[in-house]
Amino acid sequence: MLLVNPLGAFFFSALLAGYVYDKEAARQHPGVLEPSNCFGPDCFRLTFYVCAIVCCCGTLVSVLFIARIKPVYQMLYASGSFRHPRSQQQLH
């Protein structure tokens, strides 16, 4: 579980973004053996779309988890096991 964040960062920054950037730079400069510059919004457009889709999927999964766990917390709070103790002044 601790490796998910670094692996995701490596996947998106090194693999996906680097690959897309290199492909777009090669498309912008045909005939150059190793193009190193990419200009314009097309350099990271696909990377942005992939990241946006992954974020939307993560949001949907979070909403599903909330919907599934909500009845459990309602039962726990309804039973009184998580209520704050009342002070002596409120009881009298």
Side-chain angles (χ1 to χ4, degrees):
M1 194 69 157
L2 294 173
L3 294 177
V4 173
N5 194 10
L7 287 177
F10 172 73
F11 173 74
F12 282 113
S13 67
L15 298 180
L16 179 67
Y19 177 77
V20 171
Y21 185 89
D22 290 341
K23 285 294 181 184
E24 184 61 28
R27 190 188 67 77
Q28 287 184 4
H29 305 289
V32 178
L33 292 178
E34 290 193 30
S36 60
N37 294 332
C38 182
F39 301 104
D42 293 331
C43 300
F44 291 105
R45 184 174 307 216
L46 180 62
T47 304
F48 172 76
Y49 288 148
V50 169
C51 289
I53 289 170
V54 168
C55 287
C56 288
C57 291
T59 301
L60 290 175
V61 168
S62 296
V63 169
L64 290 175
F65 283 157
I66 290 169
R68 286 192 57 158
I69 201 73
K70 186 176 179 180
V72 174
Y73 280 108
Q74 285 177 338
M75 287 189 315
L76 286 173
Y77 282 106
S79 69
S81 58
F82 286 111
R83 291 191 181 148
H84 294 291
R86 295 182 182 181
S87 67
Q88 292 296 330
Q89 293 176 349
Q90 291 177 345
L91 294 175
H92 296 291

